Amino acid sequence: DQCYKYKVVSNCIVRIEEIHLYSDHEEADSRMLFHVAYLAENYASSTTVNVVVQSLNTDCLVIAIGCFQKLLEKNQSLKL
């Protein structure tokens, strides 16, 4: 599936395709965390990034904890 980011440019909302975030992975839990990892690795050091992951699936929590530990190893400024 394609992934987009949205920006406001001259008071208009512009949709921009994020080609490097394209994924055909079917599992939403790991797919969400793939996007979180991308944000942490590409934006966390230059700007404030707040991410909320909400899911009723406990798999998301377990995967998020594991991913967060890996992200902390790469970027010490991240906070839980």
Side-chain angles (χ1 to χ4, degrees):
D1 289 334
Q2 296 170 318
C3 183
Y4 301 97
K5 73 177 177 181
Y6 296 87
K7 290 175 65 171
V8 176
V9 178
S10 301
N11 290 327
C12 293
I13 298 173
V14 178
R15 182 177 79 170
I16 302 166
E17 184 176 0
E18 291 284 346
I19 297 170
H20 48 280
L21 290 178
Y22 170 82
S23 175
D24 61 358
H25 189 72
E26 292 183 20
E27 295 293 327
D29 47 8
S30 54
R31 195 172 184 174
M32 283 190 301
L33 294 163
F34 168 70
H35 286 86
V36 170
Y38 174 80
L39 289 171
E41 292 176 6
N42 293 282
Y43 294 102
S45 62
S46 62
T47 187
T48 301
V49 176
N50 294 310
V51 177
V52 176
V53 175
Q54 182 176 349
S55 175
L56 297 175
N57 188 337
T58 55
D59 290 353
C60 285
L61 175 64
V62 173
I63 294 170
I65 291 169
C67 287
F68 191 77
Q69 184 61 39
K70 293 283 186 195
L71 292 174
L72 274 177
E73 293 170 5
K74 293 181 180 181
N75 187 338
Q76 301 296 318
S77 66
L78 295 176
K79 297 176 185 169
L80 181 59

